[in-house]
Amino acid sequence: MTEQVRWLDAEEAALWRTFLALERSIHLEIQRDLKTTSGLTEPEFEVLVHLSEADGPLRMTALADALMWERSRVSHQVTRMAARGLVRRTSCPEDGRGAFVSATDEGLREIEKAAPDHVATVRRVFLDRLDDDDKRELARLLALLEGTGGGPQDSAATRSSGAPGVPS
């Protein structure tokens, strides 16, 4: 038996499209500003954020979980970043198939250089548009959605290592 589809009504469709447009607009601004103010792409910045906040090298699988990326995407990204001297990949001594990744001194310099402008962009395009009550209400609403598939809470719950990860 086929399930009945609950189509979006006009108000729900408008809300969903507004959310998608806002999300794309924010990411576009972040990408533009990173490109303008640093030598990093947004994916490079995200990887370096997680590595710079970790207590030592991260397993590639833990980095993939923290970023909520497919493992192949992380592998390709790390390969490109290693070629640029931003990260270092090392073999896992206990598991020949596993690998660790860590930021190099150059990678840490790049993230430290890019972070102030990135934070200014996040404030300009997102946080500064909200007053304190708006921020609390948005946090409350986002918390309702966290357990619905793929949010930060889901990622942390399924992560096999205790690797830290803060979304950028």
Side-chain angles (χ1 to χ4, degrees):
M1 178 178 269
T2 310
E3 286 187 41
Q4 186 66 21
V5 176
R6 288 184 52 218
W7 296 106
L8 304 181
D9 64 29
E11 186 176 339
E12 291 168 331
L15 178 61
W16 178 243
R17 289 182 182 131
T18 300
F19 169 78
L20 292 176
L22 176 61
E23 192 256 349
R24 282 190 294 265
S25 173
I26 288 172
H27 277 286
L28 184 60
E29 284 292 320
I30 288 170
Q31 290 169 6
R32 285 180 184 157
D33 283 1
L34 274 173
K35 187 175 182 180
T36 302
T37 63
S38 77
L40 297 175
T41 64
E42 187 179 13
E44 289 170 338
F45 185 88
E46 288 185 56
V47 168
L48 288 171
V49 164
H50 288 281
L51 295 177
S52 69
E53 293 176 347
D55 295 327
L58 291 179
R59 285 195 68 127
M60 292 284 284
T61 54
L63 180 59
D65 289 347
L67 291 165
M68 293 184 280
W69 291 1
E70 294 292 326
R71 279 144 180 68
S72 62
R73 179 180 179 194
V74 172
S75 180
H76 291 299
Q77 184 66 50
V78 165
T79 298
R80 288 189 297 272
M81 292 174 73
R84 289 191 54 204
L86 300 172
V87 299
R88 180 179 307 105
R89 186 190 317 226
T90 55
S91 297
C92 176
E94 309 87 50
D95 177 4
R97 297 171 297 160
F100 287 101
V101 62
S102 57
T104 62
D105 290 342
E106 176 65 19
L108 292 174
R109 279 192 295 275
E110 287 295 322
I111 191 74
E112 288 170 2
K113 185 174 78 174
D117 288 326
H118 175 74
V119 169
T121 299
V122 169
R123 288 195 174 286
R124 180 175 50 80
V125 302
F126 184 63
L127 293 172
D128 288 348
R129 295 177 179 192
L130 305 170
D131 65 24
D132 289 343
D133 289 337
D134 294 334
K135 290 174 191 173
R136 281 189 290 277
E137 180 64 7
L138 182 57
R140 185 189 72 75
L141 293 170
L142 293 174
L144 293 174
L145 298 174
E146 267 190 327
T148 61
Q153 187 174 353
D154 286 346
S155 174
T158 60
R159 192 176 300 132
S160 57
S161 85
V166 178
S168 61

